Amino acid sequence: MTRYLERFAFRLGLLAALLLAGRLAAATEVTRPFVGITLTKRTETLPRPVTIHVVQVDLSAPGLSFKLTPPGGSLDTARQTTLEYLKQEKAQLAVNAHYFLPFPSPQPDASVVGFAASSGKVFAPFEEPTQAYALVKYVPALNLGPGNQASFVHYDPADPEHRKVVESVTIGNAVSGSAQIVTKGEKTIPVYADGTHPGGLLTPGGPNNYSNERSWYDAVNARTAIGLTRDSKTLVILVVDRAGGSMGMTVGEVADLLIKDYAVFDALNLDGGGSSSLAMENPQTKTAEWVNVSSDNPAGRSVADSLAIFARPAEPAK
């Protein structure tokens, strides 16, 4: 018994040492490249090696504005990388947004999935997506209206075209995703409709026979998410890598992180995997650069649309 206890104590001590080493190995880099913008890069080792990029945007900052890729091409938009869109618009930051179809496809144009608006023009409706194993029908959208008034908006069932919202707000630039993963401060990962969850929002099946035992949302992958704090004064964008030594996260892990570390009250899961893209204008050189590492290719994936952020240069340190 004594030898068993000694071995147990040794293993427990080894585990504690490994956990401590993991915490010590984690690193956080915080910069404020533009007025109202805080960029955080986190490298974590638990529960697996992962690199996380978090953009916190003070929506009251002077000179701040947004623009979603406008409609164009033969479908909803003309595809381009987030870095290309950043350069085109001469923006300071840009992040990928909607899921899109067709995919995979060499076609240069795309149809975005879910409600979308650019500079006040609604160009895609709330919808019931064909990828019902992953994307919830009529997913809410995050609207960045005039004066950077931000809020979540929901489809109006009385509108047969599903292009109107029930809220009394002016639509500016609006993005949607696969599901609302944080709702009123609580994690809300959708489940599949089955005998145990008759009210599930997802349909079992798909390319990998997804179910509540094997959820699409439980896959470890590159991720992009966007949300608001409770007072709607801070926009939070999170991009997780699955490349360069980072292994990615589940959507549930993303939701937990947004709630616990960034006080996010409502959030959407945006297009992920090889689409996860974050680009920024280098404040010193003024050149457009990738912030994250693409899991698709070094040049980044051509996506349907991206959200550009325009901000003033940061004040020089005194």
Side-chain angles (χ1 to χ4, degrees):
M1 178 63 71
T2 301
R3 185 173 297 176
Y4 169 81
L5 292 175
E6 289 174 348
R7 287 200 301 267
F8 178 78
F10 173 79
R11 291 172 180 171
L12 187 62
L14 180 60
L15 177 60
L18 289 172
L19 291 173
L20 178 60
R23 287 197 295 270
L24 292 175
T28 302
E29 302 172 20
V30 180
T31 59
R32 293 174 176 81
F34 308 103
V35 174
I37 305 291
T38 300
L39 175 62
T40 302
K41 179 181 179 181
R42 295 173 55 165
T43 54
E44 306 286 350
T45 58
L46 297 173
R48 69 191 69 85
V50 65
T51 302
I52 306 164
H53 311 273
V54 182
V55 181
Q56 293 167 279
V57 183
D58 178 358
L59 294 172
S60 67
L64 183 74
S65 62
F66 301 88
K67 183 180 179 181
L68 188 73
T69 299
S74 60
L75 299 174
D76 288 330
T77 60
R79 290 175 59 181
Q80 61 186 154
T81 69
T82 298
L83 186 66
E84 289 170 337
Y85 184 58
L86 179 86
K87 293 178 181 177
Q88 173 187 299
E89 298 298 325
K90 297 180 173 56
Q92 280 60 62
L93 281 157
V95 64
N96 73 290
H98 289 79
Y99 287 83
F100 60 93
L101 293 171
F103 183 84
S105 171
Q107 186 169 337
D109 301 326
S111 296
V112 304
V113 181
F115 188 75
S118 176
S119 301
K121 180 179 178 60
V122 175
F123 65 89
F126 296 94
E127 63 182 286
E128 297 187 37
T130 57
Q131 311 98 314
Y133 59 86
L135 312 183
V136 174
K137 66 179 181 179
Y138 307 137
V139 176
L142 192 157
N143 178 51
L144 296 160
N148 298 328
Q149 294 296 309
S151 63
F152 276 67
V153 294
H154 304 77
Y155 93 105
D156 182 355
D159 173 28
E161 296 185 350
H162 296 162
R163 289 174 175 263
K164 295 180 181 179
V165 303
V166 294
E167 292 83 5
S168 297
V169 298
T170 300
I171 299 298
N173 293 281
V175 300
S176 188
S178 70
Q180 185 165 344
I181 60 171
V182 179
T183 305
K184 299 186 184 305
E186 299 292 331
K187 180 167 65 173
T188 50
I189 307 301
V191 298
Y192 294 85
D194 59 18
T196 306
H197 306 87
L201 300 177
L202 299 172
T203 302
N208 291 309
N209 196 27
Y210 293 110
S211 66
N212 287 314
E213 290 70 38
R214 181 186 172 84
S215 175
W216 181 88
Y217 284 82
D218 289 339
V220 176
N221 210 341
R223 301 289 178 191
T224 302
I226 190 168
L228 291 172
T229 53
R230 184 167 190 159
D231 58 10
S232 297
K233 293 182 179 179
T234 303
L235 179 73
V236 180
I237 297 167
L238 183 146
V239 176
V240 180
D241 289 346
R242 193 186 178 200
S246 177
M247 297 178 66
M249 297 175 69
T250 70
V251 178
E253 289 169 346
V254 168
D256 286 334
L257 187 70
L258 289 171
I259 294 167
K260 295 176 182 177
D261 290 6
Y262 299 99
V264 168
F265 196 61
D266 293 291
L268 296 170
N269 179 58
L270 302 184
D271 194 7
S275 294
S276 287
S277 309
L278 181 62
M280 184 178 76
E281 176 191 78
N282 186 302
Q284 284 73 47
T285 66
K286 307 301 180 183
T287 57
E289 301 174 352
W290 287 114
V291 174
N292 76 311
V293 179
S294 173
S295 62
D296 199 356
N297 61 64
R301 174 182 290 174
S302 291
V303 296
D305 61 351
S306 298
L307 179 66
I309 304 174
F310 303 88
R312 294 179 181 177
E315 295 291 334
K318 296 181 180 180

